[in-house]
Amino acid sequence: MLFRSGLPEGYTLNVGDDYIYGYSTLTLAGGDFTNDGTIVVYNSDELFLDADVSLIGSGAVKLDPSSYGIQGDVRTTLTVGPDQRLSGGAPISVPIINNGTLEADSGTMTLSAGLTNHGTVKTAQAGTMDLHGTVSSDNDIT
């Protein structure tokens, strides 16, 4: 599926793999988004948050190291739901509240605006994680 614009609040992604292809931006308007597929942010793409966003459902977001990662307006927060997995290695410029899994498994995942962790945060394979801002965690960050 090719995205070149925004998704309305409450949109459900549920068809296997939903890719963002070359040089595009997927904008989430804010609110809850049910992701039961896989969003791949790839090759100079970005996931942009217009307002606070909660990713819920059983899906995953993969950040390719060649992407611009997750960006957002000032004071925008991303909440990762308990069954969501955010992985890869790219910059994330918004604060994250993690209730699921964050995994730096390729390149460097840079969280520049802080992290509140209630889930799992880890590095794997050739990945590294660079944390900036206020970081708090109920669990070990490995």
Side-chain angles (χ1 to χ4, degrees):
M1 186 176 290
L2 176 61
F3 295 112
R4 294 238 183 255
S5 61
L7 295 178
E9 184 175 339
Y11 188 84
T12 299
L13 300 170
N14 59 8
V15 283
D17 288 338
D18 298 305
Y19 291 95
I20 304 171
Y21 292 96
Y23 308 104
S24 61
T25 298
L26 172 58
T27 301
L28 300 181
D32 292 344
F33 287 86
T34 303
N35 174 23
D36 289 325
T38 301
I39 301 170
V40 179
V41 183
Y42 177 76
N43 190 28
S44 299
D45 300 330
E46 71 179 6
L47 183 61
F48 189 87
L49 312 181
D50 270 345
D52 292 345
V53 168
S54 294
L55 288 175
I56 57 177
S58 60
V61 176
K62 295 180 181 180
L63 302 176
D64 187 86
S66 69
S67 75
Y68 293 120
I70 300 174
Q71 308 296 318
D73 285 338
V74 177
R75 295 182 298 272
T76 298
T77 300
L78 173 63
T79 300
V80 178
D83 296 320
Q84 288 289 307
R85 182 173 180 265
L86 177 58
S87 67
I92 301 172
S93 71
V94 298
I96 293 185
I97 300 171
N98 178 46
N99 298 303
T101 300
L102 295 182
E103 182 175 9
D105 60 6
S106 62
T108 300
M109 182 182 286
T110 301
L111 282 66
S112 60
L115 168 68
T116 301
N117 181 49
H118 305 292
T120 302
V121 176
K122 60 184 178 179
T123 60
Q125 299 171 12
T128 59
M129 189 168 292
D130 190 8
L131 301 173
H132 300 271
T134 302
V135 176
S136 65
S137 183
D138 296 342
N139 305 307
D140 291 338
I141 296 176
T142 60

